[in-house]
């Protein structure tokens, strides 16, 4: 499907908390990933389209070297500009510097994984936005494997489908279903405008209760 990269530029100017508030207003109340998924550096933020990856835990290394990392590598080769890699819940180290390097070349904007990452200092030095459940230096080979990509997954307790919108910063990660993407971005932009006005009024001394009654924002 054709994707609107200008919508990502608008999304990138927003914050997950504002977007989550707007999702709540349309009764989409389970769109924020679990709080253990954190950026590996405080200033990291990312906005993009979900490129989903489904992981499973395994206990053996594939017999043929041709099968090592097969779908993990294929999922990276399939990335498109504007993508954010979103990895399902799995206890293993999925991400690292070389995958990030290949992903960046293809125009991917970052990764959100309910799994672990390694090579963290290199990723920080690259400035590649990386949100993960933790840090672990063990290789994925023989521990986790990718059995599918480009399919609906669960990440951090949230259902994520390919091409949903993903927005993440130090506050957390929010997922906007593709079916309401335009509506939610517009609502969030309007809410930011209202918050800016309320911020000014509060700084001038307006009581919080009066500000909320007047502007409906807090």
């Amino acid at each position: 499907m054709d994707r609107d990269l200008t919508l990502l530029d608008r999304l990138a100017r927003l914050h997950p908390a504002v977007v989550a508030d707007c999702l709540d207003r349309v009764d989409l109340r389970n769109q924020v990933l679990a709080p253990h998924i954190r950026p590996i550096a405080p200033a990291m933020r990312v906005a993009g389209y979900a490129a989903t990856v489904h992981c499973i835990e395994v206990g053996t290394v594939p017999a043929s070297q041709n099968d090592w990392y097969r779908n993990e590598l294929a999922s990276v080769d399939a990335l498109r500009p504007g993508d954010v890699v979103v990895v399902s819940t799995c206890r293993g180290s999925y991400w690292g510097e070389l995958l990030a390097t290949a992903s960046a070349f293809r125009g991917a904007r970052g990764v959100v994984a309910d799994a672990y990452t390694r090579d963290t200092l290199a990723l920080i030095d690259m400035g590649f936005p990386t949100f993960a459940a933790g840090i672990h230096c063990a290789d994925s080979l023989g521990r986790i494997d990718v059995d599918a990509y480009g399919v609906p997954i669960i990440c951090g307790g949230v259902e994520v489908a390919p091409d949903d919108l993903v927005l993440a910063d130090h506050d957390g990660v929010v997922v906007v279903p593709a079916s309401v993407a335009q509506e939610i971005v517009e609502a969030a932009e309007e809410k930011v405008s209202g918050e800016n006005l309320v911020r000014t009024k509060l700084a001038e001394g307006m009581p919080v209760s009066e500000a909320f009654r007047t502007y409906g924002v807090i």
Side-chain angles (χ1 to χ4, degrees), residues 128-141:
F128 191 85
T130 302
F131 293 73
I135 298 169
H136 198 286
C137 63
D139 189 18
S140 63
L141 185 64

Side-chain angles (χ1 to χ4, degrees), residues 11 17 70 74 86 97-98 100 111 127 142-143 171 179-180 185 187 191:
L11 181 70
R70 178 190 292 273
V86 183
E97 176 191 8
L98 297 183
V111 61
R143 295 183 175 89
D171 272 354
S179 60
V180 295
V185 169
K191 189 172 193 295

Side-chain angles (χ1 to χ4, degrees), residues 60-70 141 145:
T60 59
V61 175
S64 171
Q65 190 169 339
N66 291 334
D67 292 327
W68 290 8
Y69 314 107
R70 178 190 292 273
L141 185 64
D145 202 0

Side-chain angles (χ1 to χ4, degrees), residues 12-207:
R13 290 192 287 269
L14 300 169
H15 299 282
V18 171
V19 173
D21 289 352
C22 294
L23 287 162
D24 280 351
R25 299 291 168 81
V26 296
D27 205 31
L28 292 170
R29 300 182 60 84
N30 188 42
Q31 298 304 126
V32 176
L33 272 57
H36 65 267
I37 300 176
R38 302 296 303 153
I40 61 171
M44 286 183 169
R45 54 181 287 116
V46 67
Y49 287 102
T52 56
V53 176
H54 189 266
C55 282
I56 56 172
E57 296 177 23
V58 297
T60 59
V61 175
S64 171
Q65 190 169 339
N66 291 334
D67 292 327
W68 290 8
Y69 314 107
R70 178 190 292 273
N71 283 339
E72 188 171 355
L73 303 180
S75 69
V76 170
D77 287 339
L79 291 172
R80 296 183 288 167
D83 278 342
V84 172
V85 180
V86 183
V87 183
S88 69
T89 303
C90 197
R91 293 178 301 173
S93 190
Y94 180 83
W95 201 250
E97 176 191 8
L98 297 183
L99 292 183
T101 299
S103 299
F105 176 81
R106 285 159 179 76
R109 299 187 174 190
V111 61
V112 172
D114 196 2
Y116 307 139
T117 188
R118 59 184 192 171
D119 304 331
T120 51
L121 294 181
L123 291 168
I124 292 169
D125 198 43
M126 288 172 61
F128 191 85
T130 302
F131 293 73
I135 298 169
H136 198 286
C137 63
D139 189 18
S140 63
L141 185 64
R143 295 183 175 89
I144 62 175
D145 202 0
V146 173
D147 66 344
Y149 59 93
V151 298
I153 63 168
I154 302 293
C155 178
V158 175
E159 294 183 12
V160 187
D163 291 329
D164 284 349
L165 294 186
V166 179
L167 180 64
D169 68 11
H170 196 256
D171 272 354
V173 186
V174 64
V175 175
V176 181
S179 60
V180 295
Q182 188 75 36
E183 170 190 350
I184 294 300
V185 169
E186 289 176 357
E189 289 170 335
E190 182 177 345
K191 189 172 193 295
V192 166
S193 178
E195 287 185 349
N196 290 339
L197 176 59
V198 168
R199 186 180 299 108
T200 298
K201 295 298 182 181
L202 293 175
E204 293 172 350
M206 177 181 279

